[in-house]
Structure formats: C-alpha cells, structure tokens
Amino acid sequence: MYNKEEIIRQLGEFGITNFSDVYYNYNNPKLLKAALSRGEGELSVHGPLVVRTGHHTGRSPNDKFIVDEPSSTEHIWWGDVNRPISTKNYEKLFSKVSAYVQRKELFVTDVFAGWNKNYRIPVRIISESAWSSLFANHLFVTPTSEELNSFTPEYTILHMPKLHANPNTDGTNSDVFVVVNFGEKTVLIGGTEYAGEIKKSVFTIMNYTLPRKGVMSMHCSANIGEKGDSAVLFGLSGTGKTTLSADPKRMLIGDDEHGWSDDGIFNIEGGCYAKVINLSEKAEPQIYSTTRQFGTILENVVMDPETSVLDLDDNRYTENTRAAYPLTAIANVKEGGVGGHPENIIMLTADAFGVLPPISKLTREQAMYHFLSGYTAKVAGTEKGVTEPKATFSTCFGAPFMALNPSVYADLLGEKITKHGAKCWLINTGWTGGPYGKGHRMEIAYTRAMLNAALDGTLDEVETKEDPIFGLHVPVEVPGVPSKVLDPSNTWESREDYDTMAKKLAEMFNKNFRQFENSADESIRNAGPNV
C-alpha cells in the first residue's frame, strides 16, 4: 500500500495540490467514524449511517456530459442522453475543482470495477466527503493489500459535491455537473451529494470500455441456482430487478450491473444500492435485514430525532430512499462475483396499462426487440403532470448510462443468445385486470412462481399461445398461477376496453422503434406488435 507521501506526489502529478490533509484507503470503521465526527450523518438505533443528500435525491440526467474530444467522439451515441461539452469547458471545471480542494481534507479510495480480472478497471475516487468514500467501498470491489501495493488507477473520479458550477461560464445546464472525459480518463462530479452519481459514472465507463473488448455490459441483476445455472434479469427502476434476484434458493451474483464475456458473466460491483421506500421484512427479508446492520448507508430515510428509529414508509424527503451495503451483508451471495453463461435471460417490465402478459417466452429476435425498446411505465402521481399511465422506453434497459450506440449492445446480446443458447422471457410485474387506477399490481407470489418455473425448466415443454396483438408466446399453464391470470384479456371486465388499451400500447412500441429502422435487421423490426 502506498504511503502518504507517495499519494501526495501522485495527486500533485494529477493537478491536485495544497489540500490540508489526505486520508488514503481508510477502512470502513474509520470512514464511518470520520463521517460522524464531521457531521455528515447520524447513526440509527440499529447501526446504519443515515445521511441526507439535500436538494438532489436522485440522479441529475440533464447535468451529465461527455467531453467531445478526438479519441472518443466517433464512438459516442450523441443525443439527449449523451450531451457533449467542449474540452475548453472541461478544463475550466477541472481548474475550478483544483482550486476548490486547496486547504480541504480529501479522502482517496482505490477500487476495482469488475470481478473478472481480465476486464476489471482500477478506479481512484477522490472526495471531500467521508461517507461518499464509504459508499465507494460498499459499492465497488475492494482491492486486497497485495493489489494495493501495485494499484495504478486507470480512471480517476473527482467528487466535490459542495462545489457548484456556473452555467453562464462553465457550459453546464445548472450548478450541477457530472462530466466524463474518456480521453483524460477522468470524471468530475459537483453540485450534488447524491452518491448514485458515483456509481453510475463508473457504469458509464464500463459501458464504453467493455463492448469495445467484445464484452456485453448489462444493466441487470444476476443469480445462480444450485445446479450452477446462471440467470440475468434486466429491468428499469421499479420493475423488481433487485427484489426478484434476491432469492433464498439461488445465490446472488449482483443486483444491478454485470458484464458478459467469453468466460461467462461477472458482477461489475461489490455491493448493492437498493430502494427501501415501503420496504417490509415479509416481502423482502434479505434487503430489509441490511437496514438493521451496522455500517449500511441509508440515503434520505426518515429517522426519529429522539429515538433514532427508522421509518421506511415515510417519503417526506423522496420516494427514492436508498440503502448502500456490501454484498457480504447478504447471506446468500455467490463468492467471487462470477457465473457461467446465463441459461435464462429475463426482461422485466411494469406495464401500468395492464395489457402485457405476465410471462412470455421470446424468440431471439423478440428478445432483441424488447431489449432495444426497454419498456416500462410510470404511473399517475409519480411525476408532476402525469395523470395516467405513461410509457417509458429506455433502450437496453439503461439508456442514461449507455455511451455507445444501442445497436452495439443489442448485437452483442444477439450473438451471445445464439452462441450459448440462452432462453429469453418477458415478465410483466405491473398491472392486471385493468390499467393503473382500475386494475391491481400483479401479486408478487404469482410473479415468483412464474420466474421459478422459467428458471427451473418447468416451462420448457409447456404449450404456448401467441398473443394476437404483441405476438408474444404465452404459456397456457404455470404451476401455482391461475390460468386466467396468464391471459391479460381475461382479467379485464371489458374485452373491448382491453383491446383498445392494448392497441394503444402497441402503437407506442412501434412509434418508439422507428428510431432503430436503419440499425436493426428486418427480422428484429418485425418482432414487435402486430398493429
């Protein structure tokens, strides 16, 4: 492990000088103690560190930029997701960060992104915040003492949440900035204390780097069964990705970000960042237990000021309350963070229109179609102005973090499905019996029964029926699930109302997919709804 003088020298070469002190690779107890002594958070009665992130309780997608520089510009999927910022404005922000850190205490944390040693990336995180450094220790792969002796960061993240940009002079949209420079291999973060910006910046780096090495980067959870059968579960926030992957009968590989190489799948992270609003011990016992463990970080969770007791149901600060904890906090975890090639690929959607089947078997082309579509739905009340279900399409189930053209990721998916024979499924964890407001959310017991039947091979030989609108292959029976539930049209009071709503959603799918007309093969374009 480097000594303090060596770290000061390395930081100086990087352009970070005149800080008052530096704390290099503090272990978790030291970081927790520092966070408390600096007033960055409070301990709850059971031991987690409870922190507030101020005005920003989620990511700031409009404030994320990629530097438009020669080495990467031709590879970037420029547009609403990946906004360019000039090298000149990047240099202004870097100078602002360099000036800001003078006479400040800095925490330097070295971690790896990725458990597969052939593809992992060494990342150095320099922060003014002790609890953010603890977050980094929880979320990423911690190097061994031997690895730290020769640790050389490939990417460096400068995380200064209390430093604000000036949009009039810095080329930003607001006082928040998240700027990725693939040429300099740096990330600048400021103006927001939401720790998820660190996590997703690293994921953006991996989404740029891995596919160019032939490795598919995936916004998914993954687990492995007793027979060594791996499965990945794609899904946007609120679809059940974290919940469904935490299965006592299967070992968790990871809950959010993975790579798929010629060796199999591997977790990019070393921890979990789970939503905990309305979390219950009965429904999600493994995740719930982490909110009672010493050292877990709880973001924006309400705590009684007198008793220090948590209230996981209170959303006064945000619906996006979070728990950050290492994978070791969960009992049923696959050691080493790797698994074989997945036998099953699950795509999760929360259809608030109530018309998609609760489970469907997908062809390779349908899997690529739905992967590129990345559909889920927001419900009334989740955002200002949303008064009815709103379709959301996030390509590759993670558009905000995909630096390359979506076709790059989709082609890799198609190649790996063909090469390894993975079975593909679409599972709707959303509404049945009608749309949001009239129907009800699919019972999690039914969803688990359907997922288990897909994973254990029960559905391999079950007869399927083609959905007339969406073209999906729907099993006619699943153990533990009423047959009526499997056909969503049978759960509605009015078949006419169902058809109207289904055609409405199908048209949304088709409209969204027009953006891929020139990049997707005809067989994939034809794998969508039949309207």
Side-chain angles (χ1 to χ4, degrees), residues 354-373:
V355 294
L356 284 180
I359 185 169
S360 313
K361 193 169 186 178
L362 304 177
T363 65
R364 171 184 176 275
E365 290 72 25
Q366 286 176 325
M368 294 176 71
Y369 179 94
H370 284 277
F371 179 71
L372 282 168
S373 297

PDB file of all heavy atoms in Angstrom, residues 354-373:
ATOM      1  N   GLY A 354     -51.688  -2.528 -18.073  1.00  0.00           N
ATOM      2  CA  GLY A 354     -52.351  -3.775 -17.713  1.00  0.00           C
ATOM      3  C   GLY A 354     -52.674  -4.688 -18.873  1.00  0.00           C
ATOM      4  O   GLY A 354     -53.628  -5.468 -18.788  1.00  0.00           O
ATOM      5  N   VAL A 355     -51.871  -4.630 -19.958  1.00  0.00           N
ATOM      6  CA  VAL A 355     -52.222  -5.414 -21.150  1.00  0.00           C
ATOM      7  C   VAL A 355     -51.153  -6.435 -21.551  1.00  0.00           C
ATOM      8  O   VAL A 355     -51.449  -7.350 -22.326  1.00  0.00           O
ATOM      9  CB  VAL A 355     -52.521  -4.492 -22.348  1.00  0.00           C
ATOM     10  CG1 VAL A 355     -53.780  -3.670 -22.073  1.00  0.00           C
ATOM     11  CG2 VAL A 355     -51.352  -3.584 -22.673  1.00  0.00           C
ATOM     12  N   LEU A 356     -49.934  -6.299 -21.076  1.00  0.00           N
ATOM     13  CA  LEU A 356     -48.910  -7.279 -21.423  1.00  0.00           C
ATOM     14  C   LEU A 356     -49.103  -8.546 -20.585  1.00  0.00           C
ATOM     15  O   LEU A 356     -49.450  -8.477 -19.400  1.00  0.00           O
ATOM     16  CB  LEU A 356     -47.514  -6.713 -21.179  1.00  0.00           C
ATOM     17  CG  LEU A 356     -46.986  -5.704 -22.199  1.00  0.00           C
ATOM     18  CD1 LEU A 356     -45.587  -5.244 -21.803  1.00  0.00           C
ATOM     19  CD2 LEU A 356     -46.966  -6.286 -23.606  1.00  0.00           C
ATOM     20  N   PRO A 357     -48.873  -9.718 -21.180  1.00  0.00           N
ATOM     21  CA  PRO A 357     -48.981 -10.968 -20.411  1.00  0.00           C
ATOM     22  C   PRO A 357     -47.997 -10.970 -19.249  1.00  0.00           C
ATOM     23  O   PRO A 357     -46.920 -10.385 -19.338  1.00  0.00           O
ATOM     24  CB  PRO A 357     -48.623 -12.040 -21.445  1.00  0.00           C
ATOM     25  CG  PRO A 357     -48.848 -11.406 -22.778  1.00  0.00           C
ATOM     26  CD  PRO A 357     -48.533  -9.954 -22.592  1.00  0.00           C
ATOM     27  N   PRO A 358     -48.334 -11.662 -18.162  1.00  0.00           N
ATOM     28  CA  PRO A 358     -47.437 -11.687 -17.000  1.00  0.00           C
ATOM     29  C   PRO A 358     -46.148 -12.452 -17.268  1.00  0.00           C
ATOM     30  O   PRO A 358     -45.140 -12.202 -16.610  1.00  0.00           O
ATOM     31  CB  PRO A 358     -48.273 -12.357 -15.915  1.00  0.00           C
ATOM     32  CG  PRO A 358     -49.288 -13.153 -16.660  1.00  0.00           C
ATOM     33  CD  PRO A 358     -49.592 -12.376 -17.891  1.00  0.00           C
ATOM     34  N   ILE A 359     -46.155 -13.378 -18.239  1.00  0.00           N
ATOM     35  CA  ILE A 359     -44.922 -14.038 -18.654  1.00  0.00           C
ATOM     36  C   ILE A 359     -45.068 -14.475 -20.105  1.00  0.00           C
ATOM     37  O   ILE A 359     -46.136 -14.936 -20.529  1.00  0.00           O
ATOM     38  CB  ILE A 359     -44.562 -15.246 -17.758  1.00  0.00           C
ATOM     39  CG1 ILE A 359     -43.192 -15.813 -18.182  1.00  0.00           C
ATOM     40  CG2 ILE A 359     -45.646 -16.308 -17.763  1.00  0.00           C
ATOM     41  CD1 ILE A 359     -42.598 -16.827 -17.208  1.00  0.00           C
ATOM     42  N   SER A 360     -44.007 -14.299 -20.878  1.00  0.00           N
ATOM     43  CA  SER A 360     -43.995 -14.691 -22.284  1.00  0.00           C
ATOM     44  C   SER A 360     -42.616 -15.246 -22.614  1.00  0.00           C
ATOM     45  O   SER A 360     -41.601 -14.777 -22.096  1.00  0.00           O
ATOM     46  CB  SER A 360     -44.270 -13.498 -23.201  1.00  0.00           C
ATOM     47  OG  SER A 360     -45.375 -12.742 -22.775  1.00  0.00           O
ATOM     48  N   LYS A 361     -42.599 -16.241 -23.490  1.00  0.00           N
ATOM     49  CA  LYS A 361     -41.336 -16.755 -23.996  1.00  0.00           C
ATOM     50  C   LYS A 361     -40.989 -16.013 -25.278  1.00  0.00           C
ATOM     51  O   LYS A 361     -41.846 -15.832 -26.152  1.00  0.00           O
ATOM     52  CB  LYS A 361     -41.429 -18.259 -24.269  1.00  0.00           C
ATOM     53  CG  LYS A 361     -40.080 -18.913 -24.505  1.00  0.00           C
ATOM     54  CD  LYS A 361     -40.190 -20.438 -24.511  1.00  0.00           C
ATOM     55  CE  LYS A 361     -38.804 -21.067 -24.600  1.00  0.00           C
ATOM     56  NZ  LYS A 361     -38.881 -22.554 -24.560  1.00  0.00           N
ATOM     57  N   LEU A 362     -39.743 -15.564 -25.389  1.00  0.00           N
ATOM     58  CA  LEU A 362     -39.331 -14.729 -26.510  1.00  0.00           C
ATOM     59  C   LEU A 362     -38.404 -15.487 -27.456  1.00  0.00           C
ATOM     60  O   LEU A 362     -37.553 -16.262 -27.021  1.00  0.00           O
ATOM     61  CB  LEU A 362     -38.583 -13.490 -26.003  1.00  0.00           C
ATOM     62  CG  LEU A 362     -39.288 -12.589 -24.990  1.00  0.00           C
ATOM     63  CD1 LEU A 362     -38.346 -11.466 -24.554  1.00  0.00           C
ATOM     64  CD2 LEU A 362     -40.573 -12.021 -25.564  1.00  0.00           C
ATOM     65  N   THR A 363     -38.579 -15.241 -28.741  1.00  0.00           N
ATOM     66  CA  THR A 363     -37.585 -15.687 -29.702  1.00  0.00           C
ATOM     67  C   THR A 363     -36.359 -14.787 -29.577  1.00  0.00           C
ATOM     68  O   THR A 363     -36.386 -13.751 -28.906  1.00  0.00           O
ATOM     69  CB  THR A 363     -38.127 -15.593 -31.128  1.00  0.00           C
ATOM     70  OG1 THR A 363     -38.358 -14.206 -31.452  1.00  0.00           O
ATOM     71  CG2 THR A 363     -39.431 -16.378 -31.282  1.00  0.00           C
ATOM     72  N   ARG A 364     -35.279 -15.163 -30.231  1.00  0.00           N
ATOM     73  CA  ARG A 364     -34.073 -14.339 -30.224  1.00  0.00           C
ATOM     74  C   ARG A 364     -34.390 -12.943 -30.740  1.00  0.00           C
ATOM     75  O   ARG A 364     -33.951 -11.936 -30.153  1.00  0.00           O
ATOM     76  CB  ARG A 364     -32.990 -14.985 -31.081  1.00  0.00           C
ATOM     77  CG  ARG A 364     -31.755 -14.124 -31.327  1.00  0.00           C
ATOM     78  CD  ARG A 364     -30.799 -14.839 -32.277  1.00  0.00           C
ATOM     79  NE  ARG A 364     -29.649 -14.025 -32.623  1.00  0.00           N
ATOM     80  CZ  ARG A 364     -29.637 -13.117 -33.601  1.00  0.00           C
ATOM     81  NH1 ARG A 364     -30.736 -12.882 -34.313  1.00  0.00           N
ATOM     82  NH2 ARG A 364     -28.525 -12.441 -33.862  1.00  0.00           N
ATOM     83  N   GLU A 365     -35.150 -12.848 -31.832  1.00  0.00           N
ATOM     84  CA  GLU A 365     -35.471 -11.557 -32.426  1.00  0.00           C
ATOM     85  C   GLU A 365     -36.368 -10.736 -31.507  1.00  0.00           C
ATOM     86  O   GLU A 365     -36.201  -9.519 -31.384  1.00  0.00           O
ATOM     87  CB  GLU A 365     -36.141 -11.753 -33.792  1.00  0.00           C
ATOM     88  CG  GLU A 365     -35.212 -12.271 -34.886  1.00  0.00           C
ATOM     89  CD  GLU A 365     -34.820 -13.732 -34.697  1.00  0.00           C
ATOM     90  OE1 GLU A 365     -35.594 -14.470 -34.043  1.00  0.00           O
ATOM     91  OE2 GLU A 365     -33.737 -14.125 -35.188  1.00  0.00           O
ATOM     92  N   GLN A 366     -37.329 -11.393 -30.861  1.00  0.00           N
ATOM     93  CA  GLN A 366     -38.188 -10.677 -29.917  1.00  0.00           C
ATOM     94  C   GLN A 366     -37.379 -10.176 -28.725  1.00  0.00           C
ATOM     95  O   GLN A 366     -37.624  -9.076 -28.221  1.00  0.00           O
ATOM     96  CB  GLN A 366     -39.320 -11.589 -29.442  1.00  0.00           C
ATOM     97  CG  GLN A 366     -40.407 -11.826 -30.487  1.00  0.00           C
ATOM     98  CD  GLN A 366     -41.448 -12.819 -30.010  1.00  0.00           C
ATOM     99  OE1 GLN A 366     -41.142 -13.773 -29.291  1.00  0.00           O
ATOM    100  NE2 GLN A 366     -42.695 -12.599 -30.406  1.00  0.00           N
ATOM    101  N   ALA A 367     -36.415 -10.987 -28.281  1.00  0.00           N
ATOM    102  CA  ALA A 367     -35.566 -10.558 -27.165  1.00  0.00           C
ATOM    103  C   ALA A 367     -34.791  -9.303 -27.542  1.00  0.00           C
ATOM    104  O   ALA A 367     -34.699  -8.348 -26.751  1.00  0.00           O
ATOM    105  CB  ALA A 367     -34.623 -11.676 -26.761  1.00  0.00           C
ATOM    106  N   MET A 368     -34.257  -9.278 -28.749  1.00  0.00           N
ATOM    107  CA  MET A 368     -33.501  -8.099 -29.189  1.00  0.00           C
ATOM    108  C   MET A 368     -34.426  -6.902 -29.359  1.00  0.00           C
ATOM    109  O   MET A 368     -34.055  -5.766 -29.045  1.00  0.00           O
ATOM    110  CB  MET A 368     -32.760  -8.416 -30.482  1.00  0.00           C
ATOM    111  CG  MET A 368     -31.659  -9.461 -30.303  1.00  0.00           C
ATOM    112  SD  MET A 368     -30.850  -9.941 -31.846  1.00  0.00           S
ATOM    113  CE  MET A 368     -29.926  -8.444 -32.215  1.00  0.00           C
ATOM    114  N   TYR A 369     -35.660  -7.142 -29.838  1.00  0.00           N
ATOM    115  CA  TYR A 369     -36.634  -6.050 -29.986  1.00  0.00           C
ATOM    116  C   TYR A 369     -36.950  -5.440 -28.629  1.00  0.00           C
ATOM    117  O   TYR A 369     -36.938  -4.206 -28.469  1.00  0.00           O
ATOM    118  CB  TYR A 369     -37.912  -6.573 -30.648  1.00  0.00           C
ATOM    119  CG  TYR A 369     -38.994  -5.521 -30.812  1.00  0.00           C
ATOM    120  CD1 TYR A 369     -39.108  -4.793 -31.990  1.00  0.00           C
ATOM    121  CD2 TYR A 369     -39.890  -5.242 -29.782  1.00  0.00           C
ATOM    122  CE1 TYR A 369     -40.080  -3.815 -32.142  1.00  0.00           C
ATOM    123  CE2 TYR A 369     -40.867  -4.263 -29.918  1.00  0.00           C
ATOM    124  CZ  TYR A 369     -40.957  -3.561 -31.096  1.00  0.00           C
ATOM    125  OH  TYR A 369     -41.922  -2.584 -31.236  1.00  0.00           O
ATOM    126  N   HIS A 370     -37.247  -6.271 -27.653  1.00  0.00           N
ATOM    127  CA  HIS A 370     -37.640  -5.744 -26.342  1.00  0.00           C
ATOM    128  C   HIS A 370     -36.444  -5.195 -25.578  1.00  0.00           C
ATOM    129  O   HIS A 370     -36.602  -4.289 -24.752  1.00  0.00           O
ATOM    130  CB  HIS A 370     -38.377  -6.815 -25.543  1.00  0.00           C
ATOM    131  CG  HIS A 370     -39.786  -7.025 -26.014  1.00  0.00           C
ATOM    132  ND1 HIS A 370     -40.830  -6.224 -25.606  1.00  0.00           N
ATOM    133  CD2 HIS A 370     -40.313  -7.899 -26.911  1.00  0.00           C
ATOM    134  CE1 HIS A 370     -41.947  -6.610 -26.202  1.00  0.00           C
ATOM    135  NE2 HIS A 370     -41.668  -7.619 -27.001  1.00  0.00           N
ATOM    136  N   PHE A 371     -35.262  -5.706 -25.864  1.00  0.00           N
ATOM    137  CA  PHE A 371     -34.054  -5.144 -25.266  1.00  0.00           C
ATOM    138  C   PHE A 371     -33.817  -3.733 -25.790  1.00  0.00           C
ATOM    139  O   PHE A 371     -33.532  -2.810 -25.022  1.00  0.00           O
ATOM    140  CB  PHE A 371     -32.860  -6.044 -25.582  1.00  0.00           C
ATOM    141  CG  PHE A 371     -31.553  -5.546 -25.041  1.00  0.00           C
ATOM    142  CD1 PHE A 371     -31.286  -5.564 -23.682  1.00  0.00           C
ATOM    143  CD2 PHE A 371     -30.561  -5.077 -25.893  1.00  0.00           C
ATOM    144  CE1 PHE A 371     -30.066  -5.112 -23.181  1.00  0.00           C
ATOM    145  CE2 PHE A 371     -29.342  -4.623 -25.410  1.00  0.00           C
ATOM    146  CZ  PHE A 371     -29.098  -4.645 -24.046  1.00  0.00           C
ATOM    147  N   LEU A 372     -33.957  -3.552 -27.090  1.00  0.00           N
ATOM    148  CA  LEU A 372     -33.793  -2.216 -27.668  1.00  0.00           C
ATOM    149  C   LEU A 372     -34.910  -1.276 -27.207  1.00  0.00           C
ATOM    150  O   LEU A 372     -34.688  -0.077 -27.031  1.00  0.00           O
ATOM    151  CB  LEU A 372     -33.790  -2.296 -29.197  1.00  0.00           C
ATOM    152  CG  LEU A 372     -32.483  -2.768 -29.835  1.00  0.00           C
ATOM    153  CD1 LEU A 372     -32.682  -3.078 -31.311  1.00  0.00           C
ATOM    154  CD2 LEU A 372     -31.380  -1.726 -29.662  1.00  0.00           C
ATOM    155  N   SER A 373     -36.106  -1.820 -26.992  1.00  0.00           N
ATOM    156  CA  SER A 373     -37.235  -0.979 -26.561  1.00  0.00           C
ATOM    157  C   SER A 373     -37.084  -0.546 -25.111  1.00  0.00           C
ATOM    158  O   SER A 373     -37.280   0.614 -24.765  1.00  0.00           O
ATOM    159  CB  SER A 373     -38.559  -1.739 -26.735  1.00  0.00           C
ATOM    160  OG  SER A 373     -38.800  -2.036 -28.095  1.00  0.00           O
TER     161      SER A 373
END
